[in-house]
Structure formats: C-alpha cells, structure tokens
Amino acid sequence: MDDGKLKIFKAWLREEELSENTINSYVFAVNDFFTKYPVISKANLIMWKQGMLEVKSPKTVNLRLCAIDRWIEFDGAKVEKVKRIRYQKQTTVENAMDVETYKQLIECLERDGNEKWIAYYKLLAMTGARISEALSLTKADLEKGAALMPTKGKVRRIYIPERLKEECANVWGELEDGDFLISNKQGNKMTSRGFASMRKKHASIYGIQPEKMHPHAFRHMFAVEFLKRNNNISLLADIMGHSGVNTTMIYTRRSEREQRQEFNKAINW
C-alpha cells in the first residue's frame, strides 16, 4: 500500500472530524486489507471478512469493514459493500469497578500512605472522565469545578465535585493553575502508558482482578453509582459525553451474576 496515499486518507479522516483513535484504527484496517489483497473487490472483501472472523470478534470485524467503507468513499471506488456481522450486543455491565473493590483499593493505598494515587483514582471515580481526559485536567480546572474537553470531534464539559477538591487538598493544594492533576515523578503530565503501568501494578500487589482495573473501569462505576442516586438518564448521557441515551442505557442493566440471581429468584412456579 502506498504510504503517501494512506497519509492523504488520514488527513481526509481528520477533515471528517473523526477522533484520532478512530482514524488510527481505520488506517490500520485499510493497510491490513491491502497487505493481503492487491485490489478492492466484493470477492476480496468477503474473503478478508471470513478470514478475520476466524480470529477476531464480530465487533472488530464490523469496525474494520466500516474502515474499508470510508476508504471506498475517499477513493471513489465503485465497489459494492459487504454485509456486516449480526451479533447480540452486550446486555450486561461486566468488569466494572464495584464500590467494594474501589474501597479495597483506597484502603490499601491509605495503608501504604500513597496519597497521590488515592487522589488520582478518586478523580476517575468521581468525575466519570476517560483516562485521556483525566490526564489533561489541571489545577485551574479543579478550581473552576469543570473543564471543557475536546473529544471525538466535539467539546464536552467534565464536572469536578467540590468534595474531591476538599478530600485531596493535601495532594493538589500547592499546585499552580497550569499544573496537571495527574503527574509523573518529574511533575510533568503523565502518559497513558505510565498510568496503565501503575494501574496494573496496584491490581497485582493489592489482589484486585486486573479486568476490574481496566481503563474504563472507574468510568463504568461512576455511571452505575450515579444512576443509583439520580435516575436521570439524559443528564448522565450529557455528563458522560455520549451522543445519545442509547449508549448510556447499558449502565441501567445488571451484571450477568446479578441477572442470574434475579432469574433464579423469579423462577418459583
């Protein structure tokens, strides 16, 4: 595949205001296709799709087919699109950080006197921010109680509760307005990789299931716990930065374990 054309495609996707993560995944998919097939045709697309289904999830296959659709649109090729994979979407919330595990994490960090990471995890758990967003929050945002954050081609507002500011004053109290709330040992903005490394380390040393410490775990917990206290699904959708309530609705559903418990309780005839 011509690297120059891929760069032009990437620039075209940016003009379409797609997020960088989406752009990178689309470029990867297009490059993967042309590594295996010299030209786009219905037959080649079907073979590529079938090959992916042997090793990839239906969701991933559909994402890559979407990438090819955008390439066809960009290239102006006259190729018939292939059908997406139909599959049952997730109907439960799995691997979310639950309150009990969250309290265990905070208690372990308190025992070790790790006030900095207590503040970092509380920031995630009490704002619902994505990790990339949380890493960009500054002391000025904390003081204002909110931050405007560009994400996925739009701008959303992240609220920061007054309670968090009070509880973590010992960590953030002396920062300057432009200082990042989550910083590395040098006091600079922490990278996603650096945060992930510490997250995995804490899961290991404190005996927490790794899947409950994944990047979105705290965001999931925030949504679930928010709805327990305020069932305004439209408000939560705005707070989470979702384009509509359909995405937010998953947080109203129970985990598989909870569904099974409710199911067994109901079957009494």
Side-chain angles (χ1 to χ4, degrees):
M1 182 56 186
D2 182 0
D3 288 342
K5 195 166 185 178
L6 273 179
K7 289 180 180 179
I8 298 173
F9 176 55
K10 197 169 186 176
W12 180 80
L13 292 174
R14 285 201 181 98
E15 291 178 357
E16 294 291 302
E17 297 187 346
L18 274 65
S19 71
E20 281 301 310
N21 285 340
T22 301
I23 290 172
N24 290 333
S25 69
Y26 279 13
V27 171
F28 177 87
V30 169
N31 191 57
D32 179 70
F33 175 84
F34 282 109
T35 299
K36 297 177 174 67
Y37 302 94
V39 295
I40 290 185
S41 66
K42 182 72 176 289
N44 285 346
L45 286 173
I46 290 174
M47 286 191 290
W48 184 55
K49 170 184 168 183
Q50 291 173 340
M52 287 191 293
L53 278 173
E54 296 178 2
V55 293
K56 304 292 182 183
S57 69
K59 182 177 180 180
T60 298
V61 173
N62 285 344
L63 177 63
R64 295 193 177 179
L65 290 174
C66 184
I68 289 296
D69 287 348
R70 297 310 297 267
W71 173 267
I72 291 172
E73 181 183 351
F74 157 77
D75 196 42
K78 304 297 182 182
V79 180
E80 184 182 350
K81 297 177 181 179
V82 298
K83 293 181 179 179
R84 299 290 191 271
I85 308 300
R86 290 188 176 184
Y87 63 97
Q88 183 177 6
K89 293 185 178 180
Q90 181 181 356
T91 58
T92 63
V93 177
E94 304 298 333
N95 300 331
M97 170 70 70
D98 54 79
V99 173
E100 291 73 20
T101 305
Y102 173 68
K103 288 181 178 178
Q104 174 191 340
L105 173 63
I106 298 302
E107 288 172 1
C108 289
L109 291 166
E110 287 176 341
R111 182 193 64 205
D112 291 346
N114 197 336
E115 295 180 337
K116 179 183 287 188
W117 276 92
I118 290 173
Y120 294 174
Y121 287 128
K122 282 187 175 183
L123 179 62
L124 292 175
M126 296 169 71
T127 64
R130 300 176 178 90
I131 182 61
S132 59
E133 296 167 340
L135 292 173
S136 297
L137 293 173
T138 66
K139 174 65 179 298
D141 298 324
L142 181 69
E143 292 297 328
K144 289 184 294 186
L148 291 177
M149 193 71 61
T151 176
K152 295 187 175 182
K154 57 185 178 182
V155 177
R156 82 178 187 96
R157 179 176 283 103
I158 297 174
Y159 292 106
I160 305 173
E162 188 69 24
R163 175 185 166 190
L164 178 64
K165 177 182 174 182
E166 295 170 356
E167 291 184 2
C168 302
N170 56 334
V171 175
W172 294 323
E174 301 301 318
L175 295 182
E176 300 294 330
D177 283 353
D179 292 340
F180 292 103
L181 297 181
I182 300 178
S183 60
N184 57 24
K185 292 180 179 179
Q186 290 74 41
N188 300 318
K189 180 180 179 180
M190 187 178 293
T191 64
S192 296
R193 181 175 295 181
F195 194 95
S197 176
M198 289 302 299
R199 176 173 49 80
K200 292 174 183 177
K201 177 182 177 181
H202 291 149
S204 176
I205 63 178
Y206 296 141
I208 297 174
Q209 295 175 334
E211 58 269 22
K212 288 195 174 185
M213 291 281 280
H214 68 81
H216 272 19
F218 297 89
R219 180 170 161 84
H220 289 180
M221 187 193 83
F222 170 86
V224 171
E225 294 303 315
F226 184 92
L227 282 177
K228 288 179 181 178
R229 296 157 177 80
N230 186 322
N231 64 359
N232 188 331
I233 193 75
S234 297
L235 172 61
L236 179 60
D238 286 341
I239 292 173
M240 298 288 284
H242 293 156
S243 57
V245 297
N246 287 342
T247 303
T248 318
M249 285 296 292
I250 191 171
Y251 298 114
T252 67
R253 297 165 180 155
R254 298 176 182 271
S255 69
E256 182 180 354
R257 178 181 60 81
E258 291 170 329
Q259 284 187 355
R260 189 171 300 173
Q261 289 176 342
E262 293 297 321
F263 172 80
N264 287 322
K265 187 188 299 184
I267 307 302
N268 59 3
W269 56 82

